[in-house]
Amino acid sequence: MSSVTLHDVRFIEPERTRNYLNVDYGVFSWLLTKDHKRIGILYMFSISLMFILGGFFAMMMRLELLTPEGDLLTSDTYNKFFTLHGIIMIFFFLIPSIPAVMGNFILPIQLGAKDLAFPKINLLSWYLYMIGAFVGLYVIITGGVDTGWTFYTPFSTQYSNTHVFGTTFGAFIVGFSSILTGLNFLVTIHRMRAPGLTWYRLPLFVWAIYATSVVQLLATPVLAITLFLLMFERVVHVGIFDPALGGDPLLYQHMFWFYSHPAVYIMILPAMGVASEVVAAFTRKKIFGYKFVAFSSLAIAFLGFLVWAHHMFVAGISIYSAMIFSFLSYFVAVPSAIKVFNWTATLYKASVAWMTPMLYILGFIGLFTIGGVTGLFLAALGLDVHVTDTYFVVAHFHYIMVGGAVMAYFAALHYWWPKITGRMYPEWWARLSALLVFVGFNLTFLPQFVLGYLGMPRRYHAYAPEFQVLNVMSTAGASILAVGYALPLFYLIWSLRFGHKAGVNPWGAVGLEWTTSSPPPKENFHETPVVTWDAYDYPAMLKAMGETQNV
Amino acid sequence: MLISDFPLFPEQGSTVAGQVDALFIVLSVITGSVSILIFLLIFILAIKYRRTPQNQLAQDQEPPQMLEAGWIGIPFVIFMGMFVWGAWLYFRLARIPDNALDVYATGKQWMWKFQHSTGQREINTLHVPVGRPVRITLASEDVIHSLFFPSFRIKADVLPSRYRTMWFQATRTGRFHIFCAEYCGTQHSGMIGWVEVMEPTDYQKWLAGGSEGSLASQGEKLFQTHACNTCHTNDATARGPVLVGLYGSDVTLGDNSVVKADDNYIRESILNPQAKLVKGFGPIMPTFQGQVSEDDLLKLLAYIKSLGGAPAPSPAGTPQKEQRR
């Protein structure tokens, strides 16, 4: 066994051209694959379709909101559209996005492993996801659901006459996909690191995925229980949440947010991991305060479990418990702030390349900051009473989930695209898309903060006329955003055939994934790598490469 | 289009509006300046240290590690300040002034029904006097709603399971939005209305307009039509407990535990009488679940309140417990 040293990095373009894509062909070589890379690709296809579908519902909502009157869609249709938008984007796109696509593809390679610990369970996860997705699609085709993605009782159990059972059943199934993926990652990270790859040599993406997996494993079963009880009450009419049957509607909210608040961290922690990878790669620097960034992921995962009732400050909980949840919510803001400051500090005396993944991540840091600081407003009890359930909340969580998680997903897609496909995307078009997404996003959601403080409630099909100007701005922004998101679909597919060959390490980045060929061979590495360097050891690597190579 | 058609900041209509706005503005200034500082830093650093043929290598030089302690410690202290201010305001919002005017609100798909203690009833409109605290007791007939007065900066979820209260004191006359803020089904965005804040004299005139007698007297009629008075004769030897002086007093139950006879206790004792049996009384009262509408329940409540009670009547709902002295 020979070790791959930094010095070898640019020289090991292997002669063998067999890779995971051309090792075998045929539908079943994909549908029955146990290769983590192919499963990652399967996820990429599935969630891209879901993203397009969820985006369609978003666009229809924005078009409806161009005018104060409810004139484009009926109120029932509008209610179904925002419900489906939320359910699809959260359960079927954001939660699997970075972990199931990038985590699946990149994580084992970053660890120097041949595959995940349980390849068959990995495939099972994708099938569970697909079953859940088909149940969801069946619901959409047969009439939809109008409860909001939160399924609040007793509306969902007694009053809604739409497909609540089917939808919650779909979310229930897809939850198991998430649990199994988390379990698989945890075991892999513990057991399958390459020789010499100690915990503090791990890329920060691995730390972030580790923290995410802990949350997936511990929180998602609570969602399963909650949705099961909801289905049970809806079908059998046993009083659990419905007061008319002797249940307690607030119990539902507690149980729902016990999962759904940590779920926010399932979405944002991997995004933070991507940010660390990309910042390091495009500054050629070790992330400032590596251990702080690593442990802040774990701190967020832990504290994320203790703040759920901050969604319920006006719901009728006691003011003393509200006080405790507000207090703890400010705690969770600290590790998030640590990360932002550390990424910024990494730029100091760096070599910053303004390439597309970096543009997306610089945008991510800015938008995540806005999303984070507006969370401070919502955690302030007396202020939350006014802004909760308004467009202020809508803007806040879109800054975190779209400005944060989706931006990072696109950054990851561009950053690892050469590794996944062996081809470069067209840089000019990609930069344009990053710019459009950033501008469009801000134009869409900044006005919504103002709308929210003015008092426009969320989930409104029609609204008071004085809110129109800001809504028109928001819809205009959404159109730009849609173009920004649509562009990659075209140029990435184009690049599969016409893109430049990527080579082993197009970015001049360090990390085990940049030591194997692009696309990687089926077994990832021809020989098991031995790690002798710290994460992001750029000075050593660049010395090895010499300063002449211009990337 | 006039600038007045395009507001960027909501009008202030209540005593707490200014306090909420003050917190909002201070938070905006603090977080806005920190965010702009971060954006500028990113922008300047990313340009100054951009990759050039001369700058292929990041320099092996880091900012001082002490920064870590700074940006953990300083934000934490600021966050704690935000927490204390927010909690202080929340407690103020929960403390209901003693001389508050009582109004009862029922949310139902998809309208707001308001009842005044003088007996007036209105739908999607609420008339209140300026300069006087108004306490609203909230009930829902079906799903969860949320009564939201943006100009007063308050909202409260309205639950089908129990009463809650909220209060405000309007500071200027005029017409302000009422919204439902918790999604409640098809016509959620149509579950809106107006609060009309009037001069006290105008309000008195408005009250003088027709009503079917005070809310308590309407409750008394219901008390007879539902035959409550056959057992609750207000005689110590009757089959039902005495209701005079009940409201807000301590009640000893069959298991010797003591509960406060607040709004929610009375509501539960009508809908589910067996849940908390008063010591010395048998489980003979039938349930009125599904037989009395939320509106009528509030009338019965107003009647029982009118029978007098403990010196400091307690408002409903857990959040107001600290108000008791």
Side-chain angles (χ1 to χ4, degrees), chain A residues 46-69:
Chain A
S46 332
I47 72 163
S48 299
L49 291 176
M50 284 300 182
F51 184 65
I52 293 168
L53 194 58
F56 164 77
F57 289 128
M59 213 54 226
M60 293 307 287
M61 284 155 62
R62 280 313 329 161
L63 287 175
E64 164 63 64
L65 294 173
L66 260 179
T67 55
E69 304 82 24

PDB file of all heavy atoms in Angstrom, chain A residues 46-69:
ATOM      1  N   SER A  46     -33.865  12.966  -8.403  1.00  0.00           N
ATOM      2  CA  SER A  46     -35.173  13.009  -7.733  1.00  0.00           C
ATOM      3  C   SER A  46     -35.419  14.367  -7.102  1.00  0.00           C
ATOM      4  O   SER A  46     -36.489  14.950  -7.261  1.00  0.00           O
ATOM      5  CB  SER A  46     -35.262  11.929  -6.650  1.00  0.00           C
ATOM      6  OG  SER A  46     -34.454  10.846  -6.955  1.00  0.00           O
ATOM      7  N   ILE A  47     -34.412  14.877  -6.379  1.00  0.00           N
ATOM      8  CA  ILE A  47     -34.688  16.140  -5.690  1.00  0.00           C
ATOM      9  C   ILE A  47     -34.732  17.307  -6.666  1.00  0.00           C
ATOM     10  O   ILE A  47     -35.401  18.298  -6.393  1.00  0.00           O
ATOM     11  CB  ILE A  47     -33.702  16.418  -4.537  1.00  0.00           C
ATOM     12  CG1 ILE A  47     -32.327  16.780  -5.050  1.00  0.00           C
ATOM     13  CG2 ILE A  47     -33.647  15.280  -3.533  1.00  0.00           C
ATOM     14  CD1 ILE A  47     -31.484  17.438  -3.979  1.00  0.00           C
ATOM     15  N   SER A  48     -34.045  17.177  -7.811  1.00  0.00           N
ATOM     16  CA  SER A  48     -34.146  18.265  -8.795  1.00  0.00           C
ATOM     17  C   SER A  48     -35.569  18.369  -9.320  1.00  0.00           C
ATOM     18  O   SER A  48     -36.109  19.472  -9.477  1.00  0.00           O
ATOM     19  CB  SER A  48     -33.183  18.033  -9.960  1.00  0.00           C
ATOM     20  OG  SER A  48     -31.863  18.000  -9.464  1.00  0.00           O
ATOM     21  N   LEU A  49     -36.192  17.207  -9.584  1.00  0.00           N
ATOM     22  CA  LEU A  49     -37.590  17.234 -10.026  1.00  0.00           C
ATOM     23  C   LEU A  49     -38.476  17.855  -8.953  1.00  0.00           C
ATOM     24  O   LEU A  49     -39.358  18.664  -9.240  1.00  0.00           O
ATOM     25  CB  LEU A  49     -38.063  15.806 -10.347  1.00  0.00           C
ATOM     26  CG  LEU A  49     -37.415  15.173 -11.577  1.00  0.00           C
ATOM     27  CD1 LEU A  49     -37.884  13.726 -11.735  1.00  0.00           C
ATOM     28  CD2 LEU A  49     -37.768  15.983 -12.826  1.00  0.00           C
ATOM     29  N   MET A  50     -38.207  17.490  -7.699  1.00  0.00           N
ATOM     30  CA  MET A  50     -39.008  18.041  -6.605  1.00  0.00           C
ATOM     31  C   MET A  50     -38.796  19.550  -6.484  1.00  0.00           C
ATOM     32  O   MET A  50     -39.729  20.289  -6.196  1.00  0.00           O
ATOM     33  CB  MET A  50     -38.630  17.344  -5.296  1.00  0.00           C
ATOM     34  CG  MET A  50     -39.203  15.960  -5.187  1.00  0.00           C
ATOM     35  SD  MET A  50     -41.021  16.032  -5.260  1.00  0.00           S
ATOM     36  CE  MET A  50     -41.436  14.336  -5.043  1.00  0.00           C
ATOM     37  N   PHE A  51     -37.556  19.988  -6.713  1.00  0.00           N
ATOM     38  CA  PHE A  51     -37.254  21.421  -6.628  1.00  0.00           C
ATOM     39  C   PHE A  51     -38.027  22.180  -7.711  1.00  0.00           C
ATOM     40  O   PHE A  51     -38.580  23.253  -7.454  1.00  0.00           O
ATOM     41  CB  PHE A  51     -35.750  21.633  -6.793  1.00  0.00           C
ATOM     42  CG  PHE A  51     -35.306  23.060  -6.634  1.00  0.00           C
ATOM     43  CD1 PHE A  51     -35.433  23.699  -5.407  1.00  0.00           C
ATOM     44  CD2 PHE A  51     -34.753  23.773  -7.690  1.00  0.00           C
ATOM     45  CE1 PHE A  51     -35.022  25.010  -5.240  1.00  0.00           C
ATOM     46  CE2 PHE A  51     -34.339  25.088  -7.537  1.00  0.00           C
ATOM     47  CZ  PHE A  51     -34.475  25.708  -6.311  1.00  0.00           C
ATOM     48  N   ILE A  52     -38.087  21.600  -8.905  1.00  0.00           N
ATOM     49  CA  ILE A  52     -38.827  22.252  -9.989  1.00  0.00           C
ATOM     50  C   ILE A  52     -40.312  22.322  -9.643  1.00  0.00           C
ATOM     51  O   ILE A  52     -40.968  23.360  -9.795  1.00  0.00           O
ATOM     52  CB  ILE A  52     -38.596  21.499 -11.315  1.00  0.00           C
ATOM     53  CG1 ILE A  52     -37.136  21.663 -11.744  1.00  0.00           C
ATOM     54  CG2 ILE A  52     -39.538  21.998 -12.400  1.00  0.00           C
ATOM     55  CD1 ILE A  52     -36.715  20.747 -12.869  1.00  0.00           C
ATOM     56  N   LEU A  53     -40.826  21.212  -9.102  1.00  0.00           N
ATOM     57  CA  LEU A  53     -42.241  21.175  -8.733  1.00  0.00           C
ATOM     58  C   LEU A  53     -42.546  22.190  -7.618  1.00  0.00           C
ATOM     59  O   LEU A  53     -43.497  22.979  -7.718  1.00  0.00           O
ATOM     60  CB  LEU A  53     -42.584  19.754  -8.273  1.00  0.00           C
ATOM     61  CG  LEU A  53     -44.046  19.379  -8.137  1.00  0.00           C
ATOM     62  CD1 LEU A  53     -44.769  19.578  -9.458  1.00  0.00           C
ATOM     63  CD2 LEU A  53     -44.173  17.928  -7.697  1.00  0.00           C
ATOM     64  N   GLY A  54     -41.725  22.175  -6.587  1.00  0.00           N
ATOM     65  CA  GLY A  54     -41.926  23.125  -5.482  1.00  0.00           C
ATOM     66  C   GLY A  54     -41.781  24.560  -5.954  1.00  0.00           C
ATOM     67  O   GLY A  54     -42.483  25.459  -5.491  1.00  0.00           O
ATOM     68  N   GLY A  55     -40.849  24.776  -6.881  1.00  0.00           N
ATOM     69  CA  GLY A  55     -40.660  26.111  -7.432  1.00  0.00           C
ATOM     70  C   GLY A  55     -41.857  26.571  -8.250  1.00  0.00           C
ATOM     71  O   GLY A  55     -42.240  27.741  -8.194  1.00  0.00           O
ATOM     72  N   PHE A  56     -42.470  25.625  -8.962  1.00  0.00           N
ATOM     73  CA  PHE A  56     -43.681  25.963  -9.717  1.00  0.00           C
ATOM     74  C   PHE A  56     -44.770  26.478  -8.770  1.00  0.00           C
ATOM     75  O   PHE A  56     -45.400  27.517  -9.020  1.00  0.00           O
ATOM     76  CB  PHE A  56     -44.170  24.733 -10.492  1.00  0.00           C
ATOM     77  CG  PHE A  56     -45.582  24.849 -10.978  1.00  0.00           C
ATOM     78  CD1 PHE A  56     -45.890  25.620 -12.092  1.00  0.00           C
ATOM     79  CD2 PHE A  56     -46.624  24.197 -10.311  1.00  0.00           C
ATOM     80  CE1 PHE A  56     -47.198  25.739 -12.521  1.00  0.00           C
ATOM     81  CE2 PHE A  56     -47.932  24.319 -10.736  1.00  0.00           C
ATOM     82  CZ  PHE A  56     -48.222  25.094 -11.856  1.00  0.00           C
ATOM     83  N   PHE A  57     -44.972  25.765  -7.662  1.00  0.00           N
ATOM     84  CA  PHE A  57     -46.007  26.210  -6.712  1.00  0.00           C
ATOM     85  C   PHE A  57     -45.661  27.590  -6.148  1.00  0.00           C
ATOM     86  O   PHE A  57     -46.533  28.444  -5.981  1.00  0.00           O
ATOM     87  CB  PHE A  57     -46.151  25.196  -5.577  1.00  0.00           C
ATOM     88  CG  PHE A  57     -46.784  23.903  -6.005  1.00  0.00           C
ATOM     89  CD1 PHE A  57     -46.174  22.689  -5.729  1.00  0.00           C
ATOM     90  CD2 PHE A  57     -47.987  23.892  -6.689  1.00  0.00           C
ATOM     91  CE1 PHE A  57     -46.749  21.492  -6.121  1.00  0.00           C
ATOM     92  CE2 PHE A  57     -48.581  22.700  -7.091  1.00  0.00           C
ATOM     93  CZ  PHE A  57     -47.960  21.506  -6.805  1.00  0.00           C
ATOM     94  N   ALA A  58     -44.371  27.815  -5.875  1.00  0.00           N
ATOM     95  CA  ALA A  58     -43.955  29.122  -5.346  1.00  0.00           C
ATOM     96  C   ALA A  58     -44.268  30.219  -6.358  1.00  0.00           C
ATOM     97  O   ALA A  58     -44.776  31.291  -6.006  1.00  0.00           O
ATOM     98  CB  ALA A  58     -42.468  29.101  -5.022  1.00  0.00           C
ATOM     99  N   MET A  59     -43.955  29.939  -7.619  1.00  0.00           N
ATOM    100  CA  MET A  59     -44.151  30.958  -8.659  1.00  0.00           C
ATOM    101  C   MET A  59     -45.636  31.274  -8.806  1.00  0.00           C
ATOM    102  O   MET A  59     -46.020  32.440  -8.969  1.00  0.00           O
ATOM    103  CB  MET A  59     -43.581  30.406  -9.966  1.00  0.00           C
ATOM    104  CG  MET A  59     -42.988  31.450 -10.872  1.00  0.00           C
ATOM    105  SD  MET A  59     -41.732  32.470 -10.081  1.00  0.00           S
ATOM    106  CE  MET A  59     -42.262  34.083 -10.609  1.00  0.00           C
ATOM    107  N   MET A  60     -46.487  30.250  -8.742  1.00  0.00           N
ATOM    108  CA  MET A  60     -47.927  30.495  -8.850  1.00  0.00           C
ATOM    109  C   MET A  60     -48.411  31.353  -7.675  1.00  0.00           C
ATOM    110  O   MET A  60     -49.255  32.234  -7.836  1.00  0.00           O
ATOM    111  CB  MET A  60     -48.691  29.168  -8.866  1.00  0.00           C
ATOM    112  CG  MET A  60     -48.450  28.320 -10.103  1.00  0.00           C
ATOM    113  SD  MET A  60     -48.742  29.206 -11.637  1.00  0.00           S
ATOM    114  CE  MET A  60     -50.536  29.293 -11.639  1.00  0.00           C
ATOM    115  N   MET A  61     -47.859  31.094  -6.486  1.00  0.00           N
ATOM    116  CA  MET A  61     -48.251  31.916  -5.335  1.00  0.00           C
ATOM    117  C   MET A  61     -47.835  33.363  -5.536  1.00  0.00           C
ATOM    118  O   MET A  61     -48.597  34.291  -5.280  1.00  0.00           O
ATOM    119  CB  MET A  61     -47.579  31.380  -4.068  1.00  0.00           C
ATOM    120  CG  MET A  61     -48.217  30.128  -3.533  1.00  0.00           C
ATOM    121  SD  MET A  61     -47.025  29.179  -2.573  1.00  0.00           S
ATOM    122  CE  MET A  61     -46.654  30.308  -1.279  1.00  0.00           C
ATOM    123  N   ARG A  62     -46.583  33.549  -6.004  1.00  0.00           N
ATOM    124  CA  ARG A  62     -46.107  34.926  -6.192  1.00  0.00           C
ATOM    125  C   ARG A  62     -46.958  35.634  -7.244  1.00  0.00           C
ATOM    126  O   ARG A  62     -47.232  36.829  -7.127  1.00  0.00           O
ATOM    127  CB  ARG A  62     -44.643  34.948  -6.605  1.00  0.00           C
ATOM    128  CG  ARG A  62     -43.597  34.777  -5.536  1.00  0.00           C
ATOM    129  CD  ARG A  62     -43.725  35.585  -4.267  1.00  0.00           C
ATOM    130  NE  ARG A  62     -44.342  36.875  -4.338  1.00  0.00           N
ATOM    131  CZ  ARG A  62     -44.841  37.531  -3.278  1.00  0.00           C
ATOM    132  NH1 ARG A  62     -44.775  36.993  -2.070  1.00  0.00           N
ATOM    133  NH2 ARG A  62     -45.392  38.694  -3.407  1.00  0.00           N
ATOM    134  N   LEU A  63     -47.377  34.908  -8.291  1.00  0.00           N
ATOM    135  CA  LEU A  63     -48.205  35.543  -9.318  1.00  0.00           C
ATOM    136  C   LEU A  63     -49.567  35.923  -8.740  1.00  0.00           C
ATOM    137  O   LEU A  63     -50.082  37.008  -8.999  1.00  0.00           O
ATOM    138  CB  LEU A  63     -48.369  34.608 -10.521  1.00  0.00           C
ATOM    139  CG  LEU A  63     -47.112  34.468 -11.384  1.00  0.00           C
ATOM    140  CD1 LEU A  63     -47.330  33.423 -12.475  1.00  0.00           C
ATOM    141  CD2 LEU A  63     -46.733  35.810 -12.012  1.00  0.00           C
ATOM    142  N   GLU A  64     -50.115  35.042  -7.932  1.00  0.00           N
ATOM    143  CA  GLU A  64     -51.396  35.353  -7.283  1.00  0.00           C
ATOM    144  C   GLU A  64     -51.268  36.624  -6.442  1.00  0.00           C
ATOM    145  O   GLU A  64     -52.158  37.468  -6.412  1.00  0.00           O
ATOM    146  CB  GLU A  64     -51.828  34.179  -6.408  1.00  0.00           C
ATOM    147  CG  GLU A  64     -52.916  34.485  -5.395  1.00  0.00           C
ATOM    148  CD  GLU A  64     -54.210  34.906  -6.044  1.00  0.00           C
ATOM    149  OE1 GLU A  64     -54.789  34.069  -6.752  1.00  0.00           O
ATOM    150  OE2 GLU A  64     -54.647  36.068  -5.849  1.00  0.00           O
ATOM    151  N   LEU A  65     -50.126  36.767  -5.780  1.00  0.00           N
ATOM    152  CA  LEU A  65     -49.969  37.887  -4.851  1.00  0.00           C
ATOM    153  C   LEU A  65     -49.579  39.191  -5.545  1.00  0.00           C
ATOM    154  O   LEU A  65     -49.343  40.197  -4.880  1.00  0.00           O
ATOM    155  CB  LEU A  65     -48.929  37.525  -3.780  1.00  0.00           C
ATOM    156  CG  LEU A  65     -49.370  36.376  -2.856  1.00  0.00           C
ATOM    157  CD1 LEU A  65     -48.235  35.965  -1.941  1.00  0.00           C
ATOM    158  CD2 LEU A  65     -50.588  36.760  -2.043  1.00  0.00           C
ATOM    159  N   LEU A  66     -49.540  39.185  -6.879  1.00  0.00           N
ATOM    160  CA  LEU A  66     -49.305  40.448  -7.595  1.00  0.00           C
ATOM    161  C   LEU A  66     -50.402  41.457  -7.299  1.00  0.00           C
ATOM    162  O   LEU A  66     -50.163  42.656  -7.266  1.00  0.00           O
ATOM    163  CB  LEU A  66     -49.280  40.184  -9.104  1.00  0.00           C
ATOM    164  CG  LEU A  66     -47.923  40.066  -9.798  1.00  0.00           C
ATOM    165  CD1 LEU A  66     -48.131  39.790 -11.270  1.00  0.00           C
ATOM    166  CD2 LEU A  66     -47.089  41.316  -9.609  1.00  0.00           C
ATOM    167  N   THR A  67     -51.616  40.975  -7.131  1.00  0.00           N
ATOM    168  CA  THR A  67     -52.738  41.876  -6.864  1.00  0.00           C
ATOM    169  C   THR A  67     -53.344  41.535  -5.512  1.00  0.00           C
ATOM    170  O   THR A  67     -53.294  40.381  -5.086  1.00  0.00           O
ATOM    171  CB  THR A  67     -53.831  41.719  -7.936  1.00  0.00           C
ATOM    172  OG1 THR A  67     -54.198  40.337  -7.972  1.00  0.00           O
ATOM    173  CG2 THR A  67     -53.336  42.155  -9.294  1.00  0.00           C
ATOM    174  N   PRO A  68     -53.919  42.527  -4.848  1.00  0.00           N
ATOM    175  CA  PRO A  68     -54.493  42.274  -3.517  1.00  0.00           C
ATOM    176  C   PRO A  68     -55.662  41.290  -3.561  1.00  0.00           C
ATOM    177  O   PRO A  68     -55.873  40.536  -2.623  1.00  0.00           O
ATOM    178  CB  PRO A  68     -54.987  43.650  -3.068  1.00  0.00           C
ATOM    179  CG  PRO A  68     -54.295  44.637  -3.934  1.00  0.00           C
ATOM    180  CD  PRO A  68     -53.977  43.939  -5.214  1.00  0.00           C
ATOM    181  N   GLU A  69     -56.437  41.308  -4.664  1.00  0.00           N
ATOM    182  CA  GLU A  69     -57.594  40.423  -4.725  1.00  0.00           C
ATOM    183  C   GLU A  69     -57.123  38.998  -5.020  1.00  0.00           C
ATOM    184  O   GLU A  69     -56.088  38.799  -5.644  1.00  0.00           O
ATOM    185  CB  GLU A  69     -58.562  40.847  -5.831  1.00  0.00           C
ATOM    186  CG  GLU A  69     -59.052  42.277  -5.752  1.00  0.00           C
ATOM    187  CD  GLU A  69     -58.066  43.267  -6.335  1.00  0.00           C
ATOM    188  OE1 GLU A  69     -57.241  42.864  -7.174  1.00  0.00           O
ATOM    189  OE2 GLU A  69     -58.097  44.444  -5.904  1.00  0.00           O
TER     190      GLU A  69
END
